[in-house]
Amino acid sequence: MKTTPKKIFIVDDNRFFLESLVFLLNRQNDMDVVGTHDRIQGVLERIEAVKPDVIILDMRLPDGDGIALLQEIKLHFDVPVIMLTMYEEHKERAVRAGAFAYLVKGEGLDRLYQLIRKAAEAFVNS
């Protein structure tokens, strides 16, 4: 039985990292990146348009704070958000704000794949 790929939306302003992550996630049989954005402005409309199963969100964006965006997302959508950032020090704040998980860039792709699958499953079963 073939399962429908998990739809992933990524918000990150580092173009190289973003393109690399899209490539790597799309190589997974059960994942499909359905959208990306590089800033806070306009992102809610894009999320609404593609209705992702999981959102991957950077902590620092050129026009604002990832945690403020996380709170906005949680207000409007019932979608798990995985914070993926270079900054270890914001984990507690992000989890309190509703992040499904907090991952520091470079922790390993397998961990990210595992968290995406877990988040999508939790979302489907909630």
Side-chain angles (χ1 to χ4, degrees):
M1 183 179 114
K2 189 159 171 32
T3 58
T4 307
K6 290 142 191 63
K7 296 187 299 182
I8 303 163
F9 190 93
I10 307 168
V11 184
D12 197 301
D13 64 322
N14 180 322
R15 181 183 214 107
F16 176 75
F17 179 80
L18 184 63
E19 289 173 2
S20 301
L21 189 57
V22 167
F23 174 78
L24 292 165
L25 293 176
N26 281 336
R27 290 188 61 198
Q28 298 296 301
N29 293 333
D30 61 341
M31 295 181 195
D32 182 24
V33 177
V34 294
T36 64
H37 204 54
D38 62 356
R39 61 190 61 246
I40 291 173
Q41 187 175 354
V43 77
L44 295 179
E45 293 81 3
R46 287 191 178 201
I47 291 169
E48 176 66 41
V50 298
K51 300 190 179 356
D53 299 313
V54 178
I55 297 169
I56 297 174
L57 175 58
D58 192 10
M59 190 66 214
R60 296 222 174 117
L61 296 161
D63 58 347
D65 175 49
I67 291 184
L69 178 55
L70 167 65
Q71 292 168 325
E72 277 294 302
I73 291 169
K74 297 310 281 178
L75 200 60
H76 298 282
F77 307 101
D78 185 22
V79 178
V81 177
I82 297 171
M83 300 297 292
L84 182 61
T85 180
M86 290 174 32
Y87 308 97
E88 290 183 34
E89 64 270 18
H90 302 289
K91 181 175 185 172
E92 194 175 304
R93 229 176 97 219
V95 171
R96 267 200 321 266
F100 179 84
Y102 190 96
L103 197 61
V104 175
K105 289 178 180 175
E107 272 191 53
L109 277 172
D110 287 338
R111 179 85 178 117
L112 178 60
Y113 297 151
Q114 181 183 39
L115 284 171
I116 290 169
R117 290 179 181 113
K118 194 173 169 185
E121 204 171 282
F123 175 70
V124 167
N125 296 325
S126 66

